[in-house]
Amino acid sequence: MDLPQPPADQELKNIIDKLAQFVARNGPEFEHMTKQKQKDNPKFSFLFGGTYFHYYQYRVTTEQAILKQKQRLEQQQAIVQQAINRQSIQTAPWQQHLHQIQDTSQEQIRQSEQNLAAQHQLLLTQQQVQVDEVIRKAQDEKLLKLSKENDLDLKELDSILQPIIDSCTKDSISNGKGWIFSHATNYARSEVIILYILKKVTEPGTTFETKLHLVYLINDVLHHCFRKNADDLKKILEGAVVPIFCSTSFGIDAEKQQKLSKLHKLWETNKYFSQQILDQLQNPAASLAAYQTGLITEYASLITPITSAIQTQYALLQKQHQDFVAHLTGQMHQMQMPVQYAFQSPANPMMPVQQTAAAPYMQPTHTGYDQSILPATQPQDHHKLPESGDVPNPPTEEASVQQPEAQEAEIKDSEARMEPEPSVHPDERLSDMRNPEMHPPGRCTLIFCHI
């Protein structure tokens, strides 16, 4: 399905494009405000379902997608800039590569945003066409059923209306009025006749002249209803005159509007309708919107499957777009990770060196005694800086199991050190240290020299 075409009038195209930009930036409130201010301006008829309504919706959707794309690009740019700052220790080729990835990602996201917006507008247009078709089909079926039930020939009625549509002479109007009153013998038959006239007025592609001539027929029928006290026909006209009159007066120029204004003034003077109906006739945009809403409510069971199918299609397209953007975003985040590497691979300056295990000679030497039972307050040389390779091995599972016993032994050893030692001769102490029974292998006694 092709995209909605812009109007040939450059001024009208500029109005639609500019308004779409403002609505995309400021939200639907701006559109609502414009509708209120320009409701009687024919140049803004596209806001109320006019000829270029779909093109206006397409422009709003496109502008909204562009704004979202700009916001996301700014976020992506911030991520890339952060990655560049954190990787300032790396060489210029990496930064050039990062810029290339950034530009490529931005272009891909922009194209994806535009494609999604275009697909969304196509789906909305397709949905509107399908909804209009299903409503017209249901109305035609209803009208055909009522005509058969009330023994009215719609082809005969159409042959009576055609001369009025073609020439709208006094004779054709008079013949049409006479046929209507001779066949509208009850409420149901009157309803069929007026519904058929409504169908002729609201059909897509109906010209203004056709609509105006049928409104002139309605005017003559109204005048006769008051003279003959045809209450049933008058009541049915009260329910159909708003969409008939407003469909005729919507989106027309001042010269055509003047003809309808004269009819409205006549109806108001003769009090053919209540003031509420007369007010609705003067606001065609809002009245037609209310009429369309009523049709959607009436045929909701037929419309819901259409809207659900369109929403499902758009959800799938949106999911594809979001997955694509998430993939690109993930790539941008990964570019921040190499900052933790201080060096690059000589073979490939674009790839960081992988962290490897320390060489055997860099590992701390394994001692023959259990370090977990040493006292907590070991003397340390605070003037000696730790070497980068002096990292102790992680405790083994066996050492972890023995830890509670080691702590208990450590407490006992600490308490023993707090008691005064008996005076022993140095030679006797030395012999005790050489005695394997007093100092079994795997343990070490630390001797502190007090200076």
Side-chain angles (χ1 to χ4, degrees):
M1 187 177 292
D2 297 334
L3 293 175
Q5 296 300 317
D9 186 358
Q10 187 61 37
E11 180 183 0
L12 179 57
K13 181 178 182 298
N14 292 338
I15 292 176
I16 296 177
D17 293 344
K18 288 293 183 182
L19 181 60
Q21 292 177 1
F22 286 125
V23 172
R25 293 177 187 172
N26 304 309
E29 295 82 7
F30 189 87
E31 178 180 322
H32 180 71
M33 179 183 66
T34 305
K35 283 183 176 180
Q36 295 296 324
K37 291 184 177 180
Q38 306 293 341
K39 60 184 179 181
D40 297 324
N41 190 342
K43 293 184 178 180
F44 287 83
S45 62
F46 60 87
L47 287 173
F48 308 97
T51 305
Y52 299 104
F53 174 71
H54 295 311
Y55 173 74
Y56 165 70
Q57 282 189 325
Y58 166 73
R59 290 297 303 150
V60 172
T61 305
T62 302
E63 291 295 334
Q64 290 173 342
I66 292 174
L67 288 177
K68 291 181 180 178
Q69 177 259 342
K70 287 182 179 180
Q71 294 174 355
R72 296 190 181 186
L73 287 184
E74 291 174 357
Q75 295 176 355
Q76 296 291 338
Q77 192 173 12
I79 294 174
V80 173
Q81 188 60 44
Q82 184 180 9
I84 293 175
N85 294 337
R86 295 179 61 185
Q87 295 186 17
S88 58
I89 59 175
Q90 299 180 356
T91 58
W94 168 256
Q95 296 181 358
Q96 294 176 358
H97 179 68
L98 192 61
H99 284 302
Q100 292 175 359
I101 294 178
Q102 176 191 7
D103 295 340
T104 302
S105 299
Q106 290 176 348
E107 178 62 23
Q108 290 175 340
I109 291 176
R110 184 186 67 81
Q111 293 179 358
S112 181
E113 291 279 5
Q114 291 182 347
N115 291 339
L116 181 63
Q119 290 290 338
H120 187 213
Q121 182 58 42
L122 287 176
L123 289 175
L124 290 178
T125 304
Q126 180 182 352
Q127 174 179 291
Q128 187 62 44
V129 171
Q130 293 178 2
V131 168
D132 292 342
E133 288 178 353
V134 75
I135 290 178
R136 281 197 299 270
K137 183 179 179 181
Q139 288 178 319
D140 291 344
E141 292 175 354
K142 176 182 177 181
L143 183 59
L144 182 60
K145 179 181 177 182
L146 290 175
S147 65
K148 291 181 178 180
E149 291 176 353
N150 293 277
D151 194 24
L152 273 175
D153 189 357
L154 295 181
K155 291 183 179 180
E156 182 182 355
L157 174 58
D158 191 76
S159 65
I160 294 297
L161 296 179
Q162 194 59 46
I164 299 175
I165 294 173
D166 294 338
S167 59
C168 195
T169 61
K170 290 183 178 180
D171 290 339
S172 62
I173 292 287
S174 179
N175 291 335
K177 177 186 65 176
W179 190 95
I180 290 174
F181 276 95
S182 64
H183 289 78
T185 55
N186 56 40
Y187 187 91
R189 291 170 69 88
S190 300
E191 183 180 20
V192 174
I193 295 172
I194 300 304
L195 285 178
Y196 189 79
I197 296 176
L198 174 62
K199 166 184 164 61
K200 298 289 288 186
V201 171
T202 57
E203 277 183 338
T206 304
T207 64
F208 170 76
E209 285 72 18
T210 297
K211 297 178 181 180
L212 181 63
H213 294 172
L214 292 176
V215 171
Y216 285 154
L217 173 63
I218 295 293
N219 177 67
D220 230 39
V221 171
L222 275 171
H223 179 70
H224 208 67
C225 283
F226 276 82
R227 288 182 55 193
K228 299 294 184 180
N229 294 323
D231 294 334
D232 288 344
L233 189 57
K234 179 178 177 295
K235 185 175 182 180
I236 295 172
L237 280 172
E238 288 177 351
V241 71
V242 172
I244 291 176
F245 189 89
C246 291
S247 297
T248 308
S249 62
F250 181 76
I252 59 176
D253 56 36
E255 182 180 355
K256 296 176 180 178
Q257 186 65 49
Q258 187 176 3
K259 298 178 181 179
L260 293 173
S261 298
K262 291 180 180 179
L263 279 177
H264 184 275
K265 184 66 176 177
L266 178 64
W267 294 352
E268 185 177 18
T269 302
N270 295 332
K271 298 181 179 181
Y272 285 162
F273 300 109
S274 65
Q275 188 61 44
Q276 180 182 2
I277 294 178
L278 292 172
D279 292 341
Q280 291 177 358
L281 298 180
Q282 288 186 316
N283 193 358
S287 298
L288 284 178
Y291 173 69
Q292 292 292 335
T293 302
L295 292 177
I296 292 174
T297 303
E298 182 179 357
Y299 300 103
S301 60
L302 301 176
I303 296 174
T304 300
I306 298 175
T307 56
S308 298
I310 295 297
Q311 290 174 1
T312 300
Q313 294 181 42
Y314 179 68
L316 291 175
L317 295 174
Q318 195 175 37
K319 179 66 166 54
Q320 293 176 3
H321 167 71
Q322 292 173 350
D323 291 344
F324 178 70
V325 174
H327 172 71
L328 294 181
T329 305
Q331 288 183 337
M332 305 301 285
H333 281 299
Q334 289 178 359
M335 292 180 182
Q336 303 178 47
M337 298 177 62
V339 178
Q340 60 182 325
Y341 301 108
F343 302 97
Q344 294 176 335
S345 170
N348 186 0
M350 300 306 299
M351 296 297 294
V353 177
Q354 299 293 329
Q355 292 183 344
T356 58
Y361 57 83
M362 295 295 291
Q363 300 290 345
T365 305
H366 179 68
T367 59
Y369 56 88
D370 189 355
Q371 300 181 15
S372 62
I373 63 175
L374 291 177
T377 57
Q378 298 185 36
Q380 298 180 1
D381 188 358
H382 298 284
H383 299 284
K384 181 180 180 181
L385 296 176
E387 298 293 339
S388 60
D390 295 341
V391 180
N393 288 330
T396 62
E397 183 178 356
E398 181 181 357
S400 299
V401 174
Q402 295 177 354
Q403 185 174 2
E405 299 179 357
Q407 292 177 352
E408 183 178 356
E410 180 182 350
I411 294 174
K412 292 181 179 180
D413 291 343
S414 300
E415 292 176 351
R417 292 190 190 93
M418 296 177 63
E419 298 179 358
E421 297 184 359
S423 59
V424 181
H425 194 274
D427 294 338
E428 295 179 0
R429 183 183 295 275
L430 182 59
S431 63
D432 290 341
M433 292 178 60
R434 294 172 181 172
N435 188 352
E437 297 180 356
M438 298 183 61
H439 302 279
R443 295 195 54 154
C444 176
T445 302
L446 299 181
I447 301 176
F448 295 94
C449 297
H450 301 280
I451 302 177

